[in-house]
Amino acid sequence: IGKVGKVMLIDDSNAVNNRNQNLLETVKSIDKVLKFDNTREAIDFLKNPARKLPQLIFLDIEMPDKDGFDFLKEYIELEKVSESEYWPVVVIVSDHLDFENFTKSKNYKSYGVVDHIKKPMDMEDIKSILEEHLNGNEEY
C-alpha cells in the first residue's frame, strides 16, 4: 500500500478516539492521525484552505449537539470537497448498526460514505477498509 496520508477520527468519546488512534498509528502506511471530539472542530479544521483533505475519515454518527449527519451536510458543502477526487468516509455507528442510520447514510454514498462498522473498531476493520477502499494490502 502506498502512503494513506491523513486519517481523521471524529468521536465524542475521548476513550474511543484514543483507542482508535493507537490502533491506526500501528499501520505503517498512515502518515498522520488527527482526532476531534466534535464535528464543529473537525469542520473548522477542514475549512482552512491550506489544509488538504484527509483520505479517510472515521465518523461517529451519534454525538451530542451536531451529530455525524450534521458533519456530512457541512462536509459536502466545503469547496475543496466539491473540487476534489473521491475521498472515502467510513461511518462508525455507535455501539449498534441502527437501520435508520444505515439507510440515512446511503444518501451520502456519492459523497464518499463507503462503509459502516460497529464500535469499537479493531485491526480487522481497519485492514478491511484499507484493502477495499484504498487498495492496500500490507502486513499489520
Side-chain angles (χ1 to χ4, degrees):
I1 183 172
K3 285 291 179 192
V4 172
K6 283 189 280 191
V7 173
M8 181 178 271
L9 297 171
I10 307 169
D11 197 306
D12 60 311
S13 167
N14 196 40
V16 169
N17 261 345
N18 288 338
R19 182 184 186 282
N20 290 341
Q21 180 180 22
N22 290 338
L23 268 176
L24 290 165
E25 286 177 344
T26 66
V27 180
K28 296 178 189 100
S29 59
I30 294 174
D31 280 338
K32 187 168 188 172
V33 179
L34 307 166
K35 63 180 178 176
F36 299 88
D37 61 9
N38 64 66
T39 58
R40 175 81 275 139
E41 288 177 9
I43 287 293
D44 288 346
F45 178 87
L46 292 172
K47 282 183 178 177
N48 183 325
R51 293 192 173 114
K52 290 184 178 181
L53 292 172
Q55 288 180 281
L56 185 58
I57 300 172
F58 289 93
L59 175 65
D60 184 14
I61 288 297
E62 297 174 1
M63 290 185 279
D65 300 324
K66 292 187 173 228
D67 66 17
F69 290 114
D70 294 323
F71 170 85
L72 288 170
K73 289 173 193 165
E74 289 187 62
Y75 175 76
I76 63 177
E77 296 297 321
L78 294 175
E79 187 174 336
K80 65 172 93 175
V81 171
S82 63
E83 294 174 353
S84 76
E85 297 176 22
Y86 173 79
W87 295 98
V89 176
V90 174
V91 179
I92 301 173
V93 185
S94 286
D95 300 320
H96 60 285
L97 296 178
D98 180 85
F99 182 75
E100 184 180 336
N101 286 340
F102 183 80
T103 303
K104 192 174 178 181
S105 69
K106 287 184 177 185
N107 296 329
Y108 296 95
K109 192 171 184 170
S110 62
Y111 298 105
V113 173
V114 296
D115 213 341
H116 297 82
I117 58 178
K118 190 174 173 184
K119 286 200 280 188
M121 71 180 182
D122 58 28
M123 191 52 77
E124 286 303 311
D125 294 323
I126 294 167
K127 182 178 177 182
S128 172
I129 289 158
L130 292 176
E131 288 175 356
E132 187 173 342
H133 302 295
L134 296 173
N135 302 318
N137 57 359
E138 74 172 53
E139 294 297 315
Y140 296 88

